[in-house]
Amino acid sequence: MDISYILNELGEDRENYFQAIAPPIMQTSNFRVEKVSELKKLFDDEYSGYLYSRGLNPTVDILRKKLAVLDGAEDCLVFNSGAAAIFAAILANLRSGDHVVSVEKPYTWAQRMFDVVLPRFGVTTTYVDGTDIGNFERAVLPNTRVIYLESPNSWDYKLQDLVAVAELARSENITTIIDNSYCTPLYQQPFALGIDLVMQTATKYIGGHSDTLGGILTGSRAMIKRIFDSEYLNIGSGIQPFNAWLLIRGLRTLPARLDRITQTTRSVIAFLKGHPLVESVLFPLDETFPQYELAKTQMRGACGLLSFIMKAQKMEEIVRFCESLRHIMMAVSWGGHESLILPRCASFGPGDFDPADPGHRMLRLYVGLEEADYLIRDLAQAFDAT
Ligand SMILES: *Cc1c(COP(=O)(O)O)cnc(C)c1O
């Protein structure tokens, strides 16, 4: 299906709302029925229609339809945040006593769930270096139910060979879940490669304007309905209609924003690689990246998020660089219109910094929608000030 059709028309029954171009925000908690039999049907299966907005809502449905097709999946649920989507995906596929194999250093709140929440229910997790399929093979136990992936990782961009992991999981009857936030469905389609359940935060590129949170799960109709019937309704973490509306608006410009950011990022990377204070740049589609060949086979693109290792003897030099930036802001998150910097050493206490460890000198840069030259001038003056 044409991406232009998906983003501009699919799911939008404009004759139902006065031919308005922008869909209405159905800001309602509940829906009226005329017949008791209709109520019965909805009580039996809330996925069959509109009863209460903790379940289905028409504005959210427009978004769900677009996102499912974008991902090449059968169905989709949208949550109030990416973290909620991760939680529901994991919870729906585990029972007490089960085992998870996860890539090492997954997104903070995925890791927190594996380390803090799941052990309370007897679920254990083994972390593996996902760059080698052999590590997954060795970690799988008889009670392994889920393999959790994040490819690329959003700090060091390490990839997993998705086809190989999917094959292994299929043969062992294990469900695979991936965090696909870095690529979005435009740049990586994990279903086509055999992954079962795809999560992404909509807070980043899908929203694109740093004004709403959201989280997406796409998968088979059976898997998504199962999650709807239990975790989605029970946790009550579905997205609100207004936030869904903002995400529909974000989707309209997604390809244009990603194209623009891809171009700008190329210029910024070229500048960084040529700067004497930069030791190296980490970016999955850069030819110096250790998994560049794999990245080219399973990703169609990569755009604004990269890391670089700064040359520094003291943490103060990195602090001075970050605090000298005039336009690039220091903040968590990424995927919006605004460029951002995040130094890894921000979580260090005094005395933790070891200049011999390149990981300690890592900074994550998100390239937004500004002009390349504007960003490069800002980076250059901040390097000069350190
Ligand atoms: C931000 C982020 C999440 C979590 O999404 P929220 O919408 O903030 O809950 C998950 N994975 C990755 C890679 C992220 O960057």
Side-chain angles (χ1 to χ4, degrees):
M1 207 180 285
D2 285 317
I3 189 151
S4 299
Y5 176 77
I6 300 169
L7 300 184
N8 293 292
E9 291 158 75
L10 179 78
E12 301 185 67
D13 300 322
R14 295 194 165 98
E15 58 279 13
N16 288 339
Y17 40 84
F18 309 103
Q19 304 294 358
I21 300 296
I25 304 165
M26 290 287 181
Q27 192 71 22
T28 184
S29 57
N30 44 359
F31 299 84
R32 169 179 168 251
V33 296
E34 289 180 341
K35 298 244 166 17
V36 172
S37 60
E38 289 172 53
L39 266 184
K40 165 85 168 82
K41 183 161 174 274
L42 287 163
F43 287 163
D44 288 348
D45 180 11
E46 199 170 332
Y47 212 42
S48 67
Y50 299 122
L51 173 71
Y52 190 56
S53 281
R54 175 151 39 76
L56 299 182
N57 172 281
T59 307
V60 178
D61 276 356
I62 295 172
L63 179 63
R64 289 177 51 222
K65 285 179 190 152
K66 290 180 189 294
L67 291 169
V69 175
L70 266 187
D71 250 338
E74 288 175 3
D75 208 347
C76 167
L77 287 174
V78 188
F79 296 77
N80 229 343
S81 72
I86 295 172
F87 202 85
I90 293 287
L91 213 61
N93 286 288
L94 289 176
R95 280 181 304 188
S96 161
D98 284 345
H99 175 249
V100 177
V101 175
S102 169
V103 282
E104 62 188 357
K105 302 190 197 118
Y107 179 70
T108 318
W109 293 97
Q111 174 140 12
R112 215 56 82 79
M113 177 182 56
F114 294 136
D115 293 347
V116 178
V117 181
L118 295 185
R120 296 187 351 229
F121 304 95
V123 173
T124 53
T125 302
T126 304
Y127 294 105
V128 296
D129 171 355
T131 57
D132 177 0
I133 183 69
N135 293 335
F136 287 99
E137 288 162 2
R138 285 184 284 278
V140 167
L141 300 172
N143 60 337
T144 304
R145 293 269 59 91
V146 165
I147 295 182
Y148 186 83
L149 308 171
E150 183 180 331
S151 185
N153 174 284
S154 64
W155 264 97
D156 57 20
Y157 318 107
K158 280 187 180 163
L159 314 183
Q160 300 96 57
D161 182 334
L162 300 186
V163 171
V165 176
E167 258 171 38
L168 167 70
R170 286 262 154 89
S171 71
E172 306 272 348
N173 217 3
I174 296 169
T175 301
T176 43
I177 304 173
I178 188 171
D179 183 336
N180 196 38
S181 301
Y182 185 86
C183 281
T184 84
L186 265 52
Y187 288 164
Q188 181 165 268
Q189 298 212 296
F191 285 111
L193 305 175
I195 303 297
D196 297 314
L197 195 49
V198 177
M199 173 272 157
Q200 36 167 342
T201 166
T203 313
K204 312 294 164 57
Y205 286 129
I206 306 293
H209 294 77
S210 302
D211 52 12
T212 180
L213 281 87
I216 303 161
L217 285 184
T218 45
S220 69
R221 168 93 8 98
M223 168 79 85
I224 293 295
K225 179 164 189 326
R226 188 158 65 75
I227 296 173
F228 175 84
D229 285 338
S230 53
E231 286 74 18
Y232 187 83
L233 283 171
N234 226 308
I235 303 172
S237 55
I239 195 158
Q240 296 295 305
F242 177 59
N243 290 352
W245 186 88
L246 286 172
L247 295 178
I248 294 168
R249 190 169 71 154
L251 276 180
R252 310 275 195 216
T253 57
L254 180 65
R257 286 186 284 110
L258 296 195
D259 274 355
R260 154 94 176 185
I261 294 171
T262 297
Q263 299 306 326
T264 312
T265 302
R266 276 196 201 120
S267 309
V268 170
I269 287 178
F271 164 78
L272 287 173
K273 281 173 140 183
H275 197 282
L277 285 181
V278 175
E279 190 171 291
S280 61
V281 173
L282 282 171
F283 186 67
L285 286 183
D286 187 84
E287 57 276 10
T288 63
F289 189 71
Q291 292 176 291
Y292 177 56
E293 290 305 319
L294 176 62
K296 276 195 301 184
T297 65
Q298 61 188 28
M299 293 164 56
R300 269 186 238 142
C303 49
L305 200 61
L306 61 108
S307 296
F308 62 94
I309 311 294
M310 198 172 143
K311 290 182 190 160
Q313 289 307 315
K314 298 201 187 89
M315 188 168 136
E316 289 77 69
E317 294 164 57
I318 296 174
V319 170
R320 214 156 39 235
F321 169 77
C322 291
E323 294 180 358
S324 300
L325 289 164
R326 291 180 190 145
H327 303 299
I328 299 171
M329 293 182 268
M330 205 172 355
V332 297
S333 198
W334 50 277
H337 56 90
E338 78 291 7
S339 292
L340 299 171
I341 193 91
L342 198 61
R344 187 147 228 191
C345 60
S347 55
F348 291 10
D352 289 343
F353 184 78
D354 174 9
D357 183 342
H360 288 203
R361 294 181 277 113
M362 185 187 280
L363 293 94
R364 191 176 78 177
L365 175 66
Y366 167 68
V367 175
L369 289 166
E370 302 92 334
E371 299 285 331
D373 180 51
Y374 181 76
L375 298 175
I376 289 169
R377 273 187 281 129
D378 196 23
L379 291 165
Q381 66 79 25
F383 281 128
D384 288 347
T386 58

